[in-house]
Amino acid sequence: MITLIKGFHDILPDQSSKWAFIISKARNCLERFGFREIITPIMEKTELFQRGIGQATDIVEKEMYTFTDISGDSLSLRPEATAGILRSVVEHSLLRHEPVLKLFSIGPMFRRERPSKGRFRQFFQINAEVLGDNSPLTDAETILAATSIVHAIGAKDCSVEINSVGCRDCRNTYKHELRKFLKPSLDHLCPDCQRRFETNPLRILDCKESACIAVCKNAPLIGEWLDADCRDHFGQVKKALESIGVNFRVEPRLVRGLDYYSRTAFELVHSELGRSKAVGGGGRYDSLIGELGGPDISGIGFGIGIERLAMNLEDQGHSFQKEIDVFMAIIGEKARASCFELANQLRKNGLSVDARYSDMSLKAQMKLADRLEAQWVVMVGENELAQGQATIRNMKTKEQFLVTLDEIEQRVRGEKS
RNA sequence: GAGGGCGUAGCUCAGUUGGCAGAGUACAGGGUUGUGGCCCCUGCGGCCGUGGGUUCGAGUCCCACCGCUCUCCCCA
């Protein structure tokens, strides 16, 4: 037997309706906020991610599915959505046409991590980006859009954590301060953090090792080192969030794993999963668009993990099963051809109809109709056939009528609310 | 990358000191000549993860490997 790739998963029919539910709610929500869908490839040139996400990040360093194409190009499965979306926007000059773009995208991402609960090597993400608008109101509205999706789906116990990681300038001065503070205790840090000291000292604050937590206890926080503009921006984001009723918590140590974030960074945190397995996250990026060859403007975006949303719905007893209007029960071989035509005539007229053309007892067909949650069963056997009629049974009330074939549709529709 | 747990029917799992491979559920048929859910009966269903070792005899004990799963790191 050939099995799945480790860390990948199938979405089986009994789960797929739940996924459709989540995706349609998300799409609906984002369109209400003015986002339009963009669909980009799941593979890009490796260079795009190296330039966009940052060479030194965990994702690019060791988590990408990268291979060499026959042409000699290095290609990678996308580990996140933003880089590909921006590549497309720049390549097609969409920002020349419209100074502000609001885009969303839904699809699979790939990261070669060790799988665990709620973490997969292929996972689906809902992604949204606002490009070309650096108002703090946009930050707040984008965060609201993200929380609206979570709420629309009915996932509970989700809270918003935000922070400002400053712009490149204040982050550099802060990095300097942080290194100065950490240097004497460098030996006490975990090996990972000793490495991060050079590559990305901000991440040390986020480390879960008790030794590192102890060292960082009195470390300076980025909030204290923001320049006037960044401080003002952050203040206005918080004010705007309050004005539209978004509950949030400022998490001064929140630092995200992607290099490109500046100013606002946020995560949607589920109480049980904690920040190490956020339901969603995002932030503002000041230089990414320019970095990829576009105009020197700012953007803000977020990603929400569909698997993690789906996990939140597990125990809430939603029913996503779709009912059908009619199950066609065929009694005896002679009725089969007429039923085949009738079933497809009803479909043509807009009803959802199912039928089985292999030999089945009526009892088995009734059982199947029940399982499929058919509202009506249309039964045709020799008796009905001879008179051009059908027996129709309302599965809820158990009422049964003998009707002409022409009457079926109106009868079924009549009972639909 | 480091560390736990688990691999027996399609699914969820029992399996005693080593002695014929089990239950529930699902599926199929019947109880009802052409009528669903509840009930009853019957049937189908197995390389006991793979390979080796110990033994008269291994699902059970030993070793190795493979797979899955969870935790940590990190992210969605």
Side-chain angles (χ1 to χ4, degrees):
Chain A
M1 188 175 40
I2 299 169
T3 56
L4 278 162
I5 304 170
K6 188 192 188 78
F8 286 57
H9 62 286
D10 297 319
I11 298 148
L12 301 177
D14 63 329
Q15 286 287 305
S16 61
S17 52
K18 180 156 107 183
W19 275 61
F21 166 80
I22 291 174
I23 289 171
S24 86
K25 285 278 184 192
R27 187 169 270 137
N28 193 278
C29 220
L30 289 165
E31 280 168 356
R32 211 148 31 84
F33 276 85
F35 291 88
R36 284 180 305 149
E37 187 163 13
I38 181 168
I39 302 168
T40 65
I42 60 164
M43 218 170 13
E44 299 276 359
K45 291 178 183 163
T46 304
E47 193 192 352
L48 173 69
F49 301 118
Q50 290 170 338
R51 282 246 297 271
I53 302 170
Q55 188 71 255
T57 56
D58 284 353
I59 291 177
V60 170
E61 231 169 36
K62 52 188 191 205
E63 294 177 358
M64 282 209 298
Y65 282 97
T66 298
F67 69 98
T68 306
D69 182 63
I70 291 171
S71 69
D73 291 340
S74 178
L75 306 179
S76 296
L77 294 176
R78 61 184 182 193
E80 57 97 56
T82 307
I85 292 172
L86 296 187
R87 189 229 81 229
S88 178
V89 164
V90 170
E91 186 166 347
H92 302 291
S93 305
L94 300 185
L95 281 162
R96 292 198 185 201
H97 186 248
E98 256 177 299
V100 175
L101 268 179
K102 300 170 81 170
L103 300 170
F104 76 93
S105 195
I106 297 172
M109 306 298 154
F110 304 85
R111 290 182 202 170
R112 204 189 175 292
E113 295 177 278
R114 187 85 159 223
S116 66
K117 191 180 175 67
R119 175 167 60 232
F120 305 95
R121 291 181 174 181
Q122 174 183 284
F123 57 97
F124 280 75
Q125 231 178 348
I126 300 158
N127 240 266
E129 317 285 340
V130 182
L131 311 177
D133 184 335
N134 51 18
S135 162
L137 297 180
T138 296
D139 297 43
E141 192 169 281
T142 305
I143 293 170
L144 175 64
T147 61
S148 306
I149 292 172
V150 175
H151 288 142
I153 283 155
K156 289 177 189 156
D157 305 321
C158 235
S159 60
V160 178
E161 296 188 350
I162 66 166
N163 193 23
S164 174
V165 295
C167 60
R168 190 178 305 188
D169 291 342
C170 38
R171 197 160 56 246
N172 277 338
T173 48
Y174 172 66
K175 269 186 193 170
H176 184 73
E177 287 302 319
L178 189 57
R179 284 207 183 93
K180 227 162 66 185
F181 171 86
L182 290 171
K183 192 136 198 180
S185 323
L186 196 53
D187 296 343
H188 301 303
L189 295 175
C190 73
D192 273 343
C193 285
Q194 295 194 11
R195 191 172 42 83
R196 288 179 185 136
F197 182 80
E198 288 306 327
T199 56
N200 194 352
L202 301 208
R203 291 222 63 89
I204 299 175
L205 298 177
D206 219 22
C207 186
K208 311 293 186 297
E209 290 286 331
S210 56
C212 303
I213 292 172
V215 169
C216 291
K217 201 172 169 199
N218 296 313
L221 295 170
I222 181 105
E224 300 155 7
W225 291 88
L226 294 178
D227 61 30
D229 282 351
C230 290
R231 193 184 301 265
D232 180 54
H233 185 91
F234 191 35
Q236 291 195 52
V237 171
K238 288 185 280 190
K239 211 163 96 186
L241 283 172
E242 280 161 13
S243 75
I244 49 179
V246 175
N247 291 316
F248 63 90
R249 200 154 52 84
V250 175
E251 179 53 65
R253 286 154 191 266
L254 172 61
V255 175
R256 313 219 59 242
L258 284 66
D259 267 1
Y260 52 63
Y261 287 116
S262 44
R263 293 193 167 171
T264 311
F266 66 96
E267 291 192 346
L268 269 42
V269 177
H270 184 266
S271 57
E272 277 172 39
L273 299 171
R275 194 136 55 82
S276 63
K277 276 182 193 160
V279 171
R284 181 166 282 285
Y285 36 89
D286 278 343
S287 48
L288 184 55
I289 303 171
E291 191 83 34
L292 297 175
D296 186 23
I297 58 171
S298 174
I300 180 165
F302 63 83
I304 292 178
I306 297 184
E307 285 83 355
R308 290 182 185 178
L309 275 180
M311 259 191 322
N312 275 289
L313 292 183
E314 283 311 290
D315 11 299
Q316 293 186 28
H318 284 78
S319 175
F320 302 102
Q321 166 95 35
K322 279 186 202 115
E323 50 190 37
I324 60 170
D325 297 320
V326 170
F327 187 87
M328 177 78 50
I330 304 166
I331 307 160
E333 214 173 303
K334 286 175 191 157
R336 197 164 294 149
S338 319
C339 286
F340 173 70
E341 286 174 34
L342 180 55
N344 284 297
Q345 185 58 47
L346 293 174
R347 283 188 186 128
K348 201 169 160 188
N349 296 344
L351 294 175
S352 56
V353 181
D354 204 355
R356 291 298 115 95
Y357 302 117
S358 51
D359 239 339
M360 272 176 89
S361 68
L362 179 59
K363 183 173 177 169
Q365 295 183 75
M366 292 299 293
K367 254 174 130 162
L368 180 57
D370 187 51
R371 200 167 62 235
L372 296 173
E373 291 184 38
Q375 303 301 291
W376 290 85
V377 171
V378 171
M379 282 173 271
V380 178
E382 276 186 63
N383 304 345
E384 291 85 356
L385 203 58
Q387 306 160 55
Q389 290 181 316
T391 302
I392 65 170
R393 178 182 176 88
N394 183 317
M395 292 296 273
K396 272 206 193 93
T397 65
K398 301 183 182 180
E399 289 172 304
Q400 221 164 278
F401 315 94
L402 192 62
V403 300
T404 67
L405 299 185
D406 298 336
E407 282 175 308
I408 295 174
E409 192 189 331
Q410 127 191 48
R411 202 65 186 245
V412 168
R413 287 197 192 281
E415 299 284 330
K416 274 174 92 176
S417 51

